[in-house]
Amino acid sequence: MTVELPVKRLSDYGVFAKEDVEAIFELGKELKGLKVVHVNATAYGGGVAELLMTIVPLMRDAGIDATWEVLEAPMEFFNVTKKFHNTLQGADIEITDEEWALYEKVNEENAKKLNLDADVVIIHDPQPAYIPIYRHSPNTKYIWRCHIDTSTPNLKVWDRLTSKMTIYQKALFHIMDYVRAPFDKIAVEFPPSIDPLSPKNREMSHGEMMEVADRYNINTSKPLITVVARFDPWKDLFSSIDVYRKVKEKHDVQLAIVSAMAKDDPEGWLFFEDVLRYAGTDKDILFLTDLKGVSHLEVNAIQRLSTIGLHTATREGFGLVISEMMWKEHPVVARPVGGVKIQIDDGVNGYLRNDVNDLADAILELLENKTKLDEFGKKAKEKVRRTYLSTAHVRRYLEVIKSVVK
């Protein structure tokens, strides 16, 4: 399925990152008319889809013939690829021969269905990773973009999956800690980005924010601790609730758990119910999801209404929700996992802590020192402006594409 996309203009981003925009236009002149196809698992509900919703239109504006294709697959396939996701992050889960067969069958079917005639095909994550095996063109260059923390994978699954992935010219990982054979010779460090003009990150008026606060019963007179995360065991939302409860012993705060239920994550619904039960009847724990009409604009408002961001994931591919919160001038207190630890500079624009008690103490320190809270917030936004905006991301893509076609 080809995803319909909005028009976006690079010139609109010059106010944030003029040098990146200029570099993109220069690269675009060299690559003008090149056909590039991105392929991933879902058009909504996950971080990869959000990235592509901006990256692909900006590539087009640079002169690239860029499109985005999404897999067509039954729910059983996504049950299997969720296992892939978990095992690539280290889980000890058995994947049966029947499940492997289904995975390969769906990839083969999509290789025939999808519009993949291009100079460069960029495959995102494990779900469509085998498509080039069944649709290999000698004139096409293939790039694998991994958004998962593969630093300590289940080697049985990793080795079986990657043994057939020798077709790729480049493999892109958030940080080099994630790189393993057979990709060590072709790997590129490739952090993702946020779009400062998207509904999730654009500036908002006070009135817009208050409307969202009223709609979702957010008490603006109380500090708000916000967690933005999918309902996934790796996000450890139970610890988020534990941290909140410890802070609550000394400060009258609220906790917002903000999430979207992704199409390709059937396990998420079960975990959602577990977290709801763990939270109990505490009215200061707010579950704000797309089931209640929370979309990108509402997430933006909730983050701007927040006092501090919290992230308790035990594994994280990158964690763009960190940069989103930092962009709104709020520090984030988080566990130092995956890409989180390169976004937050400990003691400068947030805190990196592991233990629930230490996470709670870090939040309390910021709540009790308004000057430090504001100072950390300003430094947080500047870190994102310099490093993690869409323009830097598009520039990196064009540089990699140039390296494989020239």
Side-chain angles (χ1 to χ4, degrees):
M1 180 185 75
T2 303
V3 179
E4 296 296 321
L5 291 162
V7 173
K8 292 181 183 283
R9 300 296 182 198
L10 284 159
S11 56
D12 294 336
Y13 293 76
V15 65
F16 307 111
K18 182 181 177 183
E19 289 183 6
D20 280 336
V21 170
E22 291 173 350
I24 291 166
F25 278 126
E26 286 302 311
L27 287 162
K29 289 176 185 176
E30 296 182 58
L31 302 172
K32 189 172 179 61
L34 198 77
K35 184 162 180 55
V36 176
V37 178
H38 291 264
V39 184
N40 83 313
T42 179
Y44 67 91
V48 178
E50 284 186 37
L51 287 169
L52 292 177
M53 195 61 71
T54 292
I55 296 302
V56 179
L58 291 183
M59 282 187 171
R60 290 177 175 178
D61 195 47
I64 309 300
D65 181 5
T67 56
W68 173 12
E69 295 285 319
V70 169
L71 289 178
E72 297 177 25
M75 187 56 70
E76 292 80 8
F77 172 82
F78 293 120
N79 286 328
V80 173
T81 58
K82 184 62 181 180
K83 286 187 176 183
F84 280 13
H85 180 101
N86 288 335
T87 54
L88 294 186
Q89 292 195 151
D92 185 16
I93 300 171
E94 182 70 25
I95 298 177
T96 67
D97 287 341
E98 291 77 13
E99 289 171 327
W100 279 104
L102 173 62
Y103 171 73
E104 295 189 11
K105 178 173 179 283
V106 169
N107 270 260
E108 184 175 8
E109 290 172 348
N110 276 272
K112 297 171 184 174
K113 291 179 188 176
L114 303 182
N115 185 1
L116 301 175
D117 294 326
D119 299 295
V120 179
V121 174
I122 302 172
I123 302 288
H124 293 262
D125 281 337
Q127 295 95 329
Y130 278 14
I131 281 179
I133 297 170
Y134 303 107
R135 182 71 175 273
H136 178 228
S137 167
N139 298 320
T140 301
K141 305 297 183 183
Y142 298 94
I143 297 170
W144 189 49
R145 174 69 168 107
C146 181
H147 299 266
I148 301 171
D149 177 350
T150 55
S151 56
T152 56
N154 178 319
L155 289 176
K156 183 179 178 181
V157 176
W158 173 265
D159 290 343
R160 181 167 177 175
L161 177 70
T162 61
S163 65
K164 295 185 179 181
M165 292 173 62
T166 56
I167 198 168
Y168 290 99
Q169 278 75 39
K170 293 288 181 182
L172 315 181
F173 294 84
H174 291 323
I175 58 177
M176 294 306 285
D177 289 355
Y178 297 169
V179 178
R180 306 183 62 84
F183 304 114
D184 42 328
K185 298 290 195 300
I186 62 169
V188 178
E189 183 168 273
F190 207 88
S193 63
I194 67 167
D195 181 350
L197 296 178
S198 70
K200 190 183 271 191
N201 296 302
R202 70 162 175 81
E203 292 295 323
M204 297 187 75
S205 70
H206 179 76
E208 286 179 300
M209 291 188 286
M210 289 304 102
E211 190 277 327
V212 171
D214 291 343
R215 199 187 331 156
Y216 295 106
N217 297 315
I218 297 171
N219 185 342
T220 57
S221 66
K222 288 185 184 182
L224 177 64
I225 302 166
T226 296
V227 182
V228 182
R230 283 166 66 159
F231 288 100
D232 178 321
W234 297 107
K235 307 302 183 187
D236 192 11
L237 292 171
F238 303 111
S239 283
S240 294
I241 293 170
D242 290 341
V243 170
Y244 153 79
R245 286 172 174 159
K246 288 186 176 297
V247 173
K248 187 82 164 179
E249 292 172 6
K250 296 185 178 180
H251 276 272
D252 187 13
V253 295
Q254 303 162 97
L255 175 69
I257 297 176
V258 184
S259 188
M261 309 302 292
K263 175 189 173 186
D264 65 335
D265 187 10
E267 182 187 31
W269 292 94
L270 300 175
F271 191 66
F272 176 42
E273 293 173 2
D274 289 342
V275 176
L276 277 174
R277 280 193 292 270
Y278 192 73
T281 58
D282 188 334
K283 293 182 179 179
D284 277 334
I285 301 178
L286 309 173
F287 286 89
L288 307 176
T289 74
D290 51 346
L291 303 177
K292 295 182 178 180
V294 172
S295 189
H296 290 174
L297 195 66
E298 287 78 13
V299 173
N300 188 352
I302 294 161
Q303 288 177 325
R304 291 183 184 279
L305 289 163
S306 301
T307 310
I308 295 171
L310 173 64
H311 202 67
T312 52
T314 56
R315 285 292 179 90
E316 187 65 77
F318 191 76
L320 273 179
V321 294
I322 306 295
S323 282
E324 289 169 4
M325 183 65 80
M326 291 168 68
W327 182 244
K328 280 87 171 183
E329 292 194 23
H330 298 307
V332 180
V333 174
R335 285 178 168 146
V337 296
V340 175
K341 62 181 180 283
I342 68 170
Q343 294 175 79
I344 297 172
D345 300 316
D346 185 40
V348 176
N349 54 33
Y351 286 116
L352 296 171
R353 301 288 186 268
N354 275 300
D355 182 74
V356 164
N357 290 322
D358 293 338
L359 288 161
D361 287 345
I363 290 175
L364 286 167
E365 181 179 330
L366 291 169
L367 287 176
E368 291 166 1
N369 189 331
K370 181 68 163 58
T371 300
K372 180 176 282 190
L373 180 70
D374 293 343
E375 177 189 327
F376 275 33
K378 287 182 172 60
K379 289 179 178 177
K381 181 169 186 174
E382 177 58 18
K383 172 74 178 283
V384 175
R385 190 198 68 77
R386 287 186 284 105
T387 319
Y388 302 120
L389 295 186
S390 304
T391 42
H393 199 183
V394 173
R395 180 178 182 173
R396 287 192 287 271
Y397 263 121
L398 297 191
E399 288 169 347
V400 169
I401 289 168
K402 179 182 174 181
S403 75
V404 299
V405 299
K406 296 298 184 182

